[in-house]
Amino acid sequence: MKKIVMLAMLTVFGVATSNAQTKKAKAAPAKKETAAKAETPKVEGAGMVFESETIDYGTIPHNADGKREFVFTNNGTKPLIITNATGSCGCTVPTYPKEPIAPGAKAVIGVKYATDRVGAFSKQVTLTSNAEGQATKTLTIKGTVLPDATAPAKTDAPKG
């Protein structure tokens, strides 16, 4: 009889322990989600947090597609309004959302670099907005445009 009672107690204890471990394992991913949300601090007013503030085109061919996008989130409590976006020269043309970006919403700043210009480049895009503490924000694009491959030179030597 004592053995049966002892076996029943061990079984109950084993089930309870295994349930506790399962609950701990399920709770672990929630901590990761909380940590990810904590990386983007909320601000009072409008806010702007970019996934990346620099776009590296790398080495690209002459006349390649020069369009890229900066993705950002309004991490504030009020709508974000971007009033202007300018490139540091005529070769860098930005586009931006004209409508307010709601709190928590994602949006995109488009940029097009004129890849008909050969060589290394580093250009800036300056944004003007109502973001708390950062009325202007500077983003960077960089890379290298390769020259066209040169065709083998023709020779005018007579056939012989």
Side-chain angles (χ1 to χ4, degrees):
M1 182 75 158
K2 288 181 183 178
K3 289 181 182 178
I4 294 173
V5 171
M6 184 65 101
L7 183 61
M9 288 176 64
L10 287 175
T11 304
V12 169
F13 179 73
V15 170
T17 303
S18 115
N19 282 343
Q21 289 175 352
T22 304
K23 288 178 183 176
K24 286 180 184 176
K26 289 180 182 177
K31 290 180 183 178
K32 289 180 184 177
E33 291 172 14
T34 303
K37 289 180 182 177
E39 291 174 14
T40 307
K42 286 281 188 187
V43 296
E44 284 298 319
M48 189 173 4
V49 176
F50 284 83
E51 290 179 3
S52 176
E53 295 181 13
T54 300
I55 293 177
D56 188 348
Y57 282 60
T59 303
I60 58 175
H62 185 239
N63 289 321
D65 182 13
K67 293 180 182 178
R68 301 291 188 275
E69 294 181 336
F70 289 97
V71 178
F72 67 96
T73 302
N74 176 357
N75 67 325
T77 57
K78 295 182 180 174
L80 172 68
I81 300 169
I82 299 173
T83 54
N84 196 21
T86 56
S88 56
C89 74
C91 61
T92 306
V93 180
T95 57
Y96 62 96
K98 307 296 190 259
E99 67 283 344
I101 297 105
K106 285 190 175 193
V108 170
I109 302 295
V111 64
K112 182 174 181 183
Y113 179 71
T115 59
D116 59 338
R117 300 167 184 235
V118 174
F121 65 92
S122 179
K123 305 295 179 183
Q124 285 70 44
V125 172
T126 303
L127 305 175
T128 306
S129 73
N130 67 332
E132 260 329 290
Q134 57 179 353
T136 61
K137 179 73 172 174
T138 303
L139 307 171
T140 302
I141 62 169
K142 63 182 182 176
T144 303
V145 178
L146 296 173
D148 284 332
T150 55
K154 293 185 178 180
T155 59
D156 290 329
K159 291 182 182 178

